Amino acid sequence: MEAKSLLELAFNACDSKRAEDIIGINVANVTGITDYFVICEGNSDRQVQAIARNVKEEALKAGIEVQRLEGFNEARWILVDLGDVVVHVFHHEERDYYNLEKLYRDQEIIVYEPEQV
């Protein structure tokens, strides 16, 4: 699957579990490990886990191997590594604290816009 298609899959998987403030960052020029970061947040441990679980399940349905899933039990910052896309699911406070958006502010930011039905 192309990186852009995988990015859309991750966006939609996060959105379907009501993740908030979903963005993508094109990090292909600054990191050799992935093309995009997806960053989103949830308001509770259970929601953060549900978002990460859904990203994993949707990737597996699409035939994408989940290379790593970190932080699931703590549910404060869960990383889902899909290869060309790495999804960071934060609890609200942790997102503010780590502020990955600021670290990569010079890179292309892609704001997720859900399709209106």
Side-chain angles (χ1 to χ4, degrees):
M1 179 178 280
E2 247 182 61
K4 277 280 200 186
S5 298
L6 188 54
L7 178 66
E8 284 298 317
L9 181 144
F11 278 160
N12 292 327
C14 293
D15 184 54
S16 71
K17 292 300 178 184
R18 301 181 188 256
E20 296 180 4
D21 198 13
I22 306 168
I23 66 162
I25 304 175
N26 185 338
V27 293
N29 295 326
V30 293
T31 173
I33 57 171
T34 193
D35 291 339
Y36 295 98
F37 285 164
V38 170
I39 301 172
C40 67
E41 65 186 61
N43 291 309
S44 69
D45 293 358
R46 293 181 91 187
Q47 185 185 20
V48 169
Q49 287 175 329
I51 295 164
R53 186 180 301 113
N54 198 52
V55 169
K56 178 182 175 182
E57 289 171 359
E58 291 300 317
L60 292 173
K61 282 183 199 173
I64 305 300
E65 178 184 348
V66 177
Q67 297 180 13
R68 173 168 274 143
L69 181 78
E70 298 284 338
F72 189 82
N73 291 335
E74 294 82 12
R76 305 303 293 177
W77 176 1
I78 302 176
L79 183 142
V80 186
D81 184 350
L82 305 176
D84 290 338
V85 175
V86 175
V87 181
H88 300 267
V89 185
F90 284 97
H91 203 284
H92 179 72
E93 293 84 19
E94 271 64 25
R95 183 174 185 174
D96 286 344
Y97 180 78
Y98 290 103
N99 201 358
L100 292 183
E101 293 95 323
K102 185 177 179 183
L103 278 173
Y104 295 99
R105 68 180 171 260
D106 296 338
Q107 303 309 306
E108 175 191 13
I109 304 290
I110 303 142
V111 177
Y112 173 71
E113 297 290 338
E115 290 183 25
Q116 301 298 320
V117 180

